[in-house]
Amino acid sequence: MMRTRPLKVALLGCGVVGSEVARIMTTHADDLAARIGAPVELAGIAVRRPDKVREGIPAELVTTDAMALVKRGDLDVVVEMIGGIEPARGLITTALEHGASVVSANKALVAADGAALHAAAEASDADLYYEAAVAGAIPLVRPLRESLAGDKVNRVLGIVNGTTNFILDKMDTSGAGYSEALDEATALGYAEADPTADVEGFDAAAKAAILAGIAFHTRVTIDDVHREGLTEVTAADIASAKRMGCTVKLLAICERAAHGGSVTARVHPAMIPLSHPLASVRGAYNAVFIEADAAGRLMFYGPGAGGSPTASAVLGDLVAVCRNKVAGTTGPGESAYTALPVSPMGEVVTRYHISLDVADKPGVLAQVAMVFAEHGVSIDTVRQQGKDGEASLVVVTHRAADAALSSTVGALRELDTVRGVASIMRVEGE
Ligand code: NDP
Ligand code: HSE
């Protein structure tokens, strides 16, 4: 039966994502009301620039005083699509204190302060949902939190940043330059307000923290995630990956240790074989594998950024929290009962591709191989190309601990015959 009193919803932010949310709320109002069991009314929209032309947005709903909007006291749901830590954190906390449920797309904030926000939601008997914070349109947060709640997740691995995947794809397939590809991703609305968050891996690290926390029922913040962006990836790395039958992707990898007593979370560029399903994830698409005891291996794939795809995830959350409001209940909150520690990157075990510039003379290869052996890092393949008394040596290792690899590289740098370490990249997905 349809409830007649409308649910009042405030939007904070009306940019790339917010404008699409407002559009869908308006054009699909009847369907949303039928699915929720109550009409949904837009009660106000907070922005920074009130005079900006916003097609389809009633001017009387627009305000620059976001705090006054969330303090109104009659709101059922606040949808935060401003981004960043402040003022988003203060606005969300105030909205929760005033009894509104909150839907957010803000991974930076959830990854930095998720525990406190969940506590505020619980104290107010309100919901805090953030499906859109991870991988755009792809349902991941709810499947992990609800569908897989009875299973034991051991690994989450994937591409969770659309901007960097778009850039790497462009550099790989069309030979586009890094800056040109980043400008295009920004113009298409994929990049964060400060694209450094994308290219330096902060955005993917925030998503990795959120996924690890939910997957392993523990608390992981962005500071726990080992992070390397793609600014160090060169055209030579991409060409070298191609020669090995691989491509380069920025990956987020969250793992439960084999002994089960700790977890790791990391974001870095990695080479993956062209035969791996992640290699064919193009443009701003994302894809995530989840490996669980009973379910086995699941793959989630779809648009990872952009206004309309992200609005789909926001609207899904909006319907869910509105349904809870109508039923007088709340959905599942934070589950962090395992309290597993996060191990340092040095304990991560994987394979490596190391490119060295060396002197092209007898005994150099043996010297280099000895350094690897002394540090317990086993070599899988070696490729050498010589030119004018210098040579480029590409070594691919078997699985080794990150700490062992770091000390190997440190010792290689000390050798007179090693002119430089041109690049070090992890090899995943084999
Ligand atoms: P935009 O920069 O396009 O929009 C931000 C909006 O917030 C604008 O409408 C801006 O107002 C408003 N705003 C900024 N500061 C304030 C303030 N102090 N008070 C009130 N309003 C303010 O960002 P996006 O839409 O791209 O991103 C929003 C959120 O969604 C971020 O958390 C982002 O990480 C997340 N997200 C984005 C995705 C994407 O593909 N773009 C995908 C998934 C998540 P004004 O319009 O006047 O400038
Ligand atoms: N800047 C983000 C990305 C938006 O490129 O993936 C989606 O979270």
Side-chain angles (χ1 to χ4, degrees):
M1 199 166 69
M2 180 74 78
R3 191 173 95 151
T4 48
R5 184 182 84 73
L7 291 160
K8 289 192 195 307
V9 177
L11 304 186
L12 308 182
C14 193
V16 172
V17 179
S19 58
E20 280 299 304
V21 170
R23 180 185 67 75
I24 299 171
M25 279 183 71
T26 311
T27 54
H28 295 189
D30 291 345
D31 282 328
L32 293 174
R35 291 170 199 177
I36 291 165
V40 177
E41 180 185 297
L42 256 179
I45 304 176
V47 298
R48 194 175 28 184
R49 296 167 293 166
D51 299 330
K52 187 180 165 198
V53 177
R54 299 174 203 267
E55 210 184 311
I57 302 292
E60 66 277 12
L61 291 182
V62 174
T63 175
T64 53
D65 195 344
M67 191 51 89
L69 179 60
V70 298
K71 280 184 173 170
R72 270 170 52 148
D74 64 342
L75 298 176
D76 294 289
V77 184
V78 168
V79 183
E80 184 273 313
M81 295 162 297
I82 293 176
I85 305 298
E86 292 294 354
R89 173 166 45 198
L91 293 167
I92 289 177
T93 308
T94 307
L96 291 168
E97 284 165 2
H98 284 74
S101 285
V102 169
V103 172
S104 175
N106 192 335
K107 51 270 171 148
L109 178 57
V110 175
D113 220 7
L117 295 177
H118 274 293
E122 197 178 333
S124 300
D125 252 339
D127 277 325
L128 171 67
Y129 277 37
Y130 41 85
E131 182 65 68
V134 185
I138 308 173
L140 262 179
V141 172
R142 198 159 318 132
L144 273 171
R145 181 172 279 161
E146 298 185 28
S147 319
L148 290 164
D151 208 335
K152 182 182 176 198
V153 176
N154 296 311
R155 192 164 193 239
V156 179
L157 172 148
I159 296 166
V160 295
N161 182 270
T163 301
T164 45
N165 201 59
F166 183 90
I167 294 171
L168 288 169
D169 186 26
K170 283 265 164 191
M171 286 172 75
D172 189 21
T173 56
S174 71
Y178 168 83
S179 309
E180 181 194 338
L182 174 58
D183 288 348
E184 199 177 338
T186 305
L188 289 165
Y190 302 148
E192 294 302 299
D194 176 0
T196 311
D198 297 290
V199 297
E200 293 289 2
F202 291 101
D203 180 81
K207 291 163 176 170
I210 295 170
L211 289 173
I214 300 172
F216 307 134
H217 300 269
T218 190
R219 280 191 183 142
V220 181
T221 72
I222 188 164
D223 294 334
D224 298 318
V225 181
H226 174 87
R227 175 193 54 79
E228 294 167 33
L230 59 69
T231 45
E232 306 285 306
V233 177
T234 61
D237 291 328
I238 293 175
S240 185
K242 259 190 183 157
R243 275 196 298 276
M244 278 179 60
C246 289
T247 189
V248 177
K249 295 289 186 189
L250 187 77
L251 298 184
I253 305 173
C254 313
E255 290 167 310
R256 191 191 287 277
H259 51 73
S262 66
V263 299
T264 55
R266 54 191 163 116
V267 165
H268 53 71
M271 291 185 183
I272 51 167
L274 290 171
S275 56
H276 193 280
L278 288 179
S280 49
V281 176
R282 309 286 306 275
Y285 273 64
N286 287 182
V288 177
F289 284 97
I290 295 176
E291 294 171 17
D293 265 3
R297 208 170 184 217
L298 309 170
M299 182 176 178
F300 297 77
Y301 171 78
S308 170
T310 308
S312 165
V314 172
L315 264 296
D317 278 355
L318 180 63
V319 168
V321 302
C322 284
R323 282 176 175 158
N324 289 343
K325 283 273 175 191
V326 170
T329 183
T330 53
E334 187 192 31
S335 169
Y337 72 94
T338 62
L340 291 169
V342 183
S343 298
M345 185 63 190
E347 290 181 21
V348 165
V349 174
T350 188
R351 301 179 65 214
Y352 300 84
H353 172 283
I354 302 122
S355 184
L356 304 168
D357 295 325
V358 297
D360 193 5
K361 58 183 192 187
V364 172
L365 192 54
Q367 235 183 358
V368 167
M370 181 58 76
V371 170
F372 277 86
E374 279 167 0
H375 292 85
V377 178
S378 169
I379 292 175
D380 181 19
T381 61
V382 180
R383 197 181 65 239
Q384 181 175 341
Q385 204 171 15
K387 197 178 151 213
D388 303 332
E390 298 287 305
S392 139
L393 201 60
V394 174
V395 178
V396 179
T397 73
H398 287 295
R399 283 165 62 76
D402 210 80
L405 196 281
S406 294
S407 27
T408 306
V409 171
L412 286 170
R413 287 189 207 275
E414 299 295 310
L415 293 180
D416 287 346
T417 47
V418 173
R419 311 280 190 240
V421 180
S423 85
I424 306 164
M425 202 174 287
R426 296 174 186 87
V427 182
E428 301 285 345
E430 289 182 317

